[in-house]
Amino acid sequence: MMPSQRNATAQDRPVTVMLTAADVAAAAANRNGLTYKGFGVLSGNATSSMLMDYRAEHPDAYRRLVRTLFGGPRPIMNTVKVEMGNDRNNSTGPEACTMREPGEYPAVGREPGFQLAADAAEVQPGVRVSILRWMAPTWVHGNDDVYRWYKNTILACYRAYGFMVGSVNPDVNERTADLDWVAEFARRVRQDETGFEVDPDAPADPSDPAAHDPAALPDSLGGRLATAADAGWSSDEERALFHRIKVITSDEEVTGTFAGQLFADPRYMDAVDVAAYHYSVVDDEEGGFTRLAEQADKEVWNSEAQAVFSNSADRPNNTNGDGLADPVANTGIGGPGGPLEMANTLIKGFVRSRRTHAIYQPAIGACHKHMEYASKELVSARDPWSGWMYFDAGCAVLEHFCACAKLGWAGDDPAVWRAIPAASGCEVGGDNPVNGARHGEPSYLTLAAPDGADFSTVIVNDSALPREYRIAVDPALPAAGRPAEVWQTRAAEPGERYDAAWRRRVGVIEPVDGPDGTTQYALTVRPWSMVTVTTLADVAPYAIPATPEASRPVLDEDPAHGVLHADAFDDPARGARYATDTNGAFEVVPDPECGHALRQQIDWTHAGDAWIEGEPRTTIGDMRWTNYRVSVDVRFEPYPGRAPYVLLGARDMGGDKFTTDLAGYDFKLRADGVWLLRRYGDEKHRGHLEDLRRRAAEAGAPAFRPGAADWFTLSLEVAGPTVTVRLNGAEVTRWTDDRPQTAGRVMLGTSFDHVRFSRLRVERVPGFSPHYAALVDDMHLVSWDDSRTPVLRYDGEWEHRNGQGMFTYLRSISRTSRIGASLTHTFDGTGLDVFGPSDGDVLLDVFVDGRLAGQRRRTQANEGSLRTQLHIGGLEPGRHTVTLRLANQALWQVDAIGALA
C-alpha cells in the first residue's frame, strides 16, 4: 500500500478526543505546569525601534494596537519580554543599553519595550514583564556586574513606570544554562537587602551638576549618573516585589538540555521557576520537560516562538502544492510558514513538551522592512508617518485559544484553565517547522476550566483533506451536554474582505449520547482551516482591525516644497524619526550650536560583542523613495588616534544581515579628507583632501577642514542611474550605474566614534519620480477589500510560493520558465520597476497600454530579491497597463513591483 493510500484510509476514520472528569481533576491539581498561560510579545533586536514614533505621532493607532493585543477580559497577550542589549547588533539590530557605565542611572527610556509594557499595564494591570540579555556592555566583566546591571535596571523601571519585572533569565540568551549562576542569582534576588546600588563617590542627588558630567558619561550624553539619593529601596513594596521575581532558564535555541540537572540537584530545582527554550517543540530523550510540568509543577515556556512567515492576507493566492498529488494546489491560509503551521506548533509544543506559554519574536514588527529575520510578525507597524498597521491571521490563531478560555497563572486566579494532556494530541511531523500535516494528521489541544464547567478544543487541519472529529465528554463533567459553538479560521472567498473568514462563528453543535455513555460532539474540519469547539457562550466576536487596500501613504511630508522628509533631530525622547539602528546607538543629545543633534554614542572602548558584526548604521525613511537628494550637516567630535568617518547612503532596501554596506549607494568621508563613493560596499570612486579643496575652490564653496573643527554639509543625490555627491554645495564626484538600484531608504553611518548630525533633509529631484505609489508584493494578486479585484495578473504557468527565506520580500516568490508566461499590472504613474533575483539572462517583451514597447529586453543582473531587475520609465503621467512576457527559456523570478508615482 502506498503511503498516500495508507494515510487516506487513516483520515477516513474520525479522530476521537476523550475528555474525562478524572483528567480534568488531575490537571486542576497542578498549579503551574498545566495552567495554560497564553502568549507574549518579545521586544528586542531593534524590532520595536519605530514603535515610539507611532506613540508620539499617531497615538490613536498606537492605543488601538495596545488595546487589541492586551485589552479585554481575555486578551491575546499577557506578557512583554524585553531583551536587554549593549548597543550592538543582536540579529535585526541593537537594543540600546540601559547602563553604558557602571555608575550610570539606568536610562530605561532608551528601551521601547519598557514603555510598551507600561502602556500594556494600563489596559491589563496584571501584565507580566520578563527580561534577559544578549550581549553585555563592556564594563560588565562578571556575574556581580551582571547582577548590578539587571537589578538597577529593574528598579529604575519600577520607579519610572510603576511595574516590577516579574521574571528574569540571568544567563545569556540562546546559551547552555549555567545553573550554578542561576541558583546564585535566585538566592541574591530572594535575599537582597541592599536595593539600588551606587558607587561610593556618587553625587548626592540628581540636581548635583556632577551627576551630569559629560566626562563621566562619554557614551551617554543626555543621561546622568546614579546618585546617593537613588540608593537602596524606594519603598517596602519595591523590596517585596523584587524578592518575588521568578527565575527562568535557559532560553536555549534548541531542545532544552538542563531538565535532568534540575531533577538531580534540589538547589537547581528550587532556584528555577520557569524552564524555557526556543523554537523546538519536542522534549528531551528522557521526557524531562513533561516531568517538570507534571511532577515538579514547573512552568515550561516556548520563550521565543515564531509567528507567521509572510502575509496571510495574500497567502491564499499561492500555488504551494498540497503535499499529496498536486504540486501547485492552492493551500488557502495553510502551507509552509503559515498561520496553521503556527497553530500546530502551539499544539505540538504542549503535547510533546508541555509548553503552556509562547512568546513571539517579534509579535510587533516595528522596524524597517526586509531586514534580518524579516516577515515573521503578528502585527506589521512599519509606517509610523501614517499610522498604518496590519494585523495578521496569526492574531486570529491566538484568539482561537485565548478568546475561548480563561488563560493566565493560577497564582493570579485559581479559575485559570488547564491544558489536558490526555485530551490533546498531535501527529503532525516536523519540529521547527511543524509542517508534516499534509495527510490530515490529527492535531488538537483541549483546555478546560478546573471545575469542569466548560471546555474548548482547538483543532487544526493544515491539509487538503477534510477531517472528522468526535469529542467525547465524560457525563460526570458539568460541561457535558451543553451546546458547543464552533469558531473557524480559513481563507476568504472571492468577493469577501481578506479577513472575512478569520475566527468566525460558523455553527453550534448539539451533543448526542454516545454508545459508550459519553456525551459526544461531532464535526468535520474543512481543509486548510482551524476551529475551536467551545461550550462557552460568551465568546466575543472577531474585532481585530482590518487594513483597507491602498491605505499606505508614502512618506512625502511637504510635496508643495519638494520635501519628502526633514528632521532637525530636536527631540531627545525619540531620537531620529522613522529610524532603525542596525549597529551602534544614534541618539539626540544637547548641542551648544544646534540646540540638539543626533549623535552616534558608541566609541571603540564601548563597542562590545555583537551577534552580527558591523559598524554603526541607522536607516531612515520609506523604502518606496526612488529619486531624491539627501543632505545632512555633520561634525566630528575630537578623537584620539585614527580618523573617524561618516557615511551618507541612499536606496537602502535591506536584504542582507551585514548592514555596514547595505545601502545601494553611499559616500564615506574620513575626518582627514579621504573619501569613497560605493555601490553596496564596492568602491567606484575615491579621493582625498586635495580633491575636496580643489572642488570647493572651483565652486566658490566653503572648504572642508579636516579634523573636528567645523560643521559641514554632505549631500547625496540619486536620480535615475546617476549618483552625485556634494560637500558644502560643491560637487565632489558623479557616477552612472549601468545596472542601477532604483529605490530605498536613506542611511547614516559612522565608525565607532562620536559623530554628530543635524538638519537631515530628503528632497525631490526635479524631472524624476520621487517615489512609488505602491510597492506591490508578487503575491498580491487581488485587492484586500474584496479578494477579487485584480492587482497583479499572471498568465501562463507560474508558481507562487510561500516559505521562502528572510531576504525574499515577505517570504514569497513568483517564478516561471515558460516562454509566453506574462505578468500584467495596471497603475497610475509614469513607469514601474520589477524586483527579484536575476542573473541577467531573462529576456522580456514589454507591452505598454497594449502596444509593444520593447522586444527581448534583458533584465539586469543583481544581488538579491529587493534588487532591481527591470526599469520601465518615461511614461506620460496617468493610468497605464504594462504587460511583461517571457521571451526566452530562462528562470524568471518576481519578488515585487514598484509603480512610479
Side-chain angles (χ1 to χ4, degrees), residues 489-644:
T489 291
R490 59 171 177 80
E493 299 291 341
E496 296 179 330
R497 195 175 67 189
Y498 69 91
D499 65 344
W502 294 1
R503 201 181 64 78
R504 306 297 164 152
R505 185 177 179 272
V506 294
V508 176
I509 303 174
E510 294 293 341
V512 299
D513 293 333
D516 56 357
T518 60
T519 300
Q520 298 191 356
Y521 303 78
L523 74 157
T524 300
V525 182
R526 293 176 55 159
W528 312 117
S529 75
M530 69 180 295
V531 300
T532 298
V533 179
T534 180
T535 57
L536 288 175
D538 62 347
V539 177
Y542 183 81
I544 293 174
T547 303
E549 182 77 12
S551 62
R552 196 170 187 178
V554 176
L555 177 56
D556 190 358
E557 292 176 350
D558 188 0
H561 296 93
V563 178
L564 295 169
H565 175 58
D567 194 342
F569 302 135
D570 56 1
D571 187 347
R574 292 177 60 191
R577 292 159 54 223
Y578 321 143
T580 297
D581 297 352
T582 57
N583 246 310
F586 293 80
E587 296 172 355
V588 171
V589 302
D591 184 89
E593 297 176 60
C594 303
H596 289 91
L598 185 72
R599 182 182 192 251
Q600 201 292 110
Q601 298 268 52
I602 309 304
D603 62 18
W604 285 106
T605 303
H606 294 83
D609 293 335
W611 174 261
I612 300 171
E613 287 295 336
E615 299 191 341
R617 299 288 186 270
T618 189
T619 185
I620 299 172
D622 195 325
M623 70 191 302
R624 294 168 293 182
W625 288 343
T626 53
N627 302 287
Y628 55 85
R629 181 185 307 109
V630 54
S631 61
V632 67
D633 293 348
V634 182
R635 185 171 74 83
F636 296 109
E637 292 188 11
Y639 54 91
R642 64 181 179 180

Side-chain angles (χ1 to χ4, degrees), residues 226-386:
T227 68
D230 301 310
W233 303 104
S234 66
S235 66
D236 290 341
E237 181 184 41
E238 181 183 78
R239 177 196 289 110
L241 290 172
F242 183 83
H243 287 167
R244 291 202 289 269
I245 290 173
K246 293 183 176 182
V247 174
I248 301 171
T249 199
S250 66
D251 283 286
E252 292 170 87
E253 60 187 320
V254 294
T255 300
T257 59
F258 56 89
Q261 293 172 275
L262 266 59
F263 281 105
D265 191 326
R267 185 169 61 103
Y268 297 158
M269 184 68 82
D270 177 68
V272 174
D273 301 289
V274 179
Y277 54 98
H278 300 174
Y279 306 130
S280 171
V281 297
V282 300
D283 208 332
D284 63 27
E285 293 182 356
E286 290 75 35
F289 292 93
T290 298
R291 292 171 56 215
L292 282 173
E294 295 186 351
Q295 298 174 18
D297 199 17
K298 298 290 185 180
E299 301 179 30
V300 185
W301 293 4
N302 185 344
S303 50
E304 187 170 310
Q306 298 177 140
V308 176
F309 292 89
S310 75
N311 186 310
S312 297
D314 289 328
R315 176 173 282 269
N317 302 316
N318 72 75
T319 60
N320 287 327
D322 61 11
L324 299 171
D326 188 346
V328 293
N330 179 273
T331 65
I333 61 166
L340 301 184
E341 186 176 291
M342 171 186 161
N344 274 331
T345 300
L346 289 170
I347 293 173
K348 191 170 183 178
F350 175 76
V351 170
R352 294 291 301 276
S353 54
R354 299 298 184 263
R355 313 288 259 290
T356 54
H357 195 35
I359 300 176
Y360 287 95
Q361 192 278 326
I364 305 167
C367 57
H368 281 306
K369 292 193 297 183
H370 205 55
M371 302 180 79
E372 176 86 346
Y373 297 114
S375 298
K376 63 171 189 174
E377 66 261 22
L378 297 168
V379 183
S380 296
R382 302 184 184 275
D383 295 9
W385 48 88
S386 68

Side-chain angles (χ1 to χ4, degrees), residues 2-255:
M2 298 293 291
S4 61
Q5 294 174 311
R6 182 165 60 250
N7 283 293
T9 301
Q11 71 87 25
D12 287 338
R13 296 193 298 269
V15 177
T16 298
V17 180
M18 182 66 70
L19 181 63
T20 71
D23 290 332
V24 172
N30 181 299
R31 287 180 53 82
N32 301 309
L34 297 179
T35 45
Y36 206 81
K37 289 96 192 151
F39 314 108
V41 169
L42 192 153
S43 179
N45 324 120
T47 56
S48 298
S49 60
M50 297 193 295
L51 197 55
M52 294 303 104
D53 287 327
Y54 277 89
R55 191 176 189 270
E57 296 192 14
H58 293 277
D60 290 345
Y62 177 80
R63 284 194 295 268
R64 184 171 63 247
L65 167 71
V66 173
R67 287 195 305 268
T68 299
L69 294 182
F70 294 96
R74 296 175 189 152
I76 297 174
M77 300 291 177
N78 55 28
T79 299
V80 177
K81 177 180 175 181
V82 176
E83 288 192 351
M84 303 260 282
N86 69 340
D87 302 300
R88 296 299 312 279
N89 182 290
N90 52 19
S91 68
T92 303
E95 286 300 295
C97 187
T98 57
M99 293 172 61
R100 293 175 182 144
E101 298 284 352
E104 182 178 10
Y105 187 83
V108 293
R110 293 176 187 149
E111 170 50 64
F114 292 138
Q115 182 65 63
L116 173 64
D119 295 332
E122 290 189 2
V123 299
Q124 185 189 140
V127 71
R128 303 289 178 112
V129 181
S130 183
I131 65 171
L132 84 165
R133 75 184 191 276
W134 264 105
M135 308 303 178
T138 53
W139 64 266
V140 171
H141 300 297
N143 288 335
D144 289 346
D145 294 334
V146 170
Y147 186 73
R148 177 173 182 164
W149 179 31
Y150 274 28
K151 178 171 65 169
N152 283 7
T153 297
I154 289 168
L155 297 180
C157 278
Y158 180 75
R159 297 171 187 185
Y161 300 117
F163 65 78
M164 179 61 69
V165 168
S167 58
V168 175
N169 179 351
D171 226 329
V172 180
N173 191 40
E174 297 191 342
R175 299 291 189 273
T176 303
D178 179 354
L179 290 174
D180 287 330
W181 164 235
V182 170
E184 171 61 15
F185 182 88
R187 184 196 66 78
R188 294 190 190 193
V189 166
R190 294 166 185 172
Q191 300 177 9
D192 194 312
E193 294 302 328
T194 303
F196 194 98
E197 297 183 24
V198 302
D199 292 335
D201 58 349
D205 59 59
S207 66
D208 187 334
H212 306 273
D213 179 8
L217 297 167
D219 287 356
S220 298
L221 293 189
R224 71 170 176 89
L225 292 172
T227 68
D230 301 310
W233 303 104
S234 66
S235 66
D236 290 341
E237 181 184 41
E238 181 183 78
R239 177 196 289 110
L241 290 172
F242 183 83
H243 287 167
R244 291 202 289 269
I245 290 173
K246 293 183 176 182
V247 174
I248 301 171
T249 199
S250 66
D251 283 286
E252 292 170 87
E253 60 187 320
V254 294
T255 300

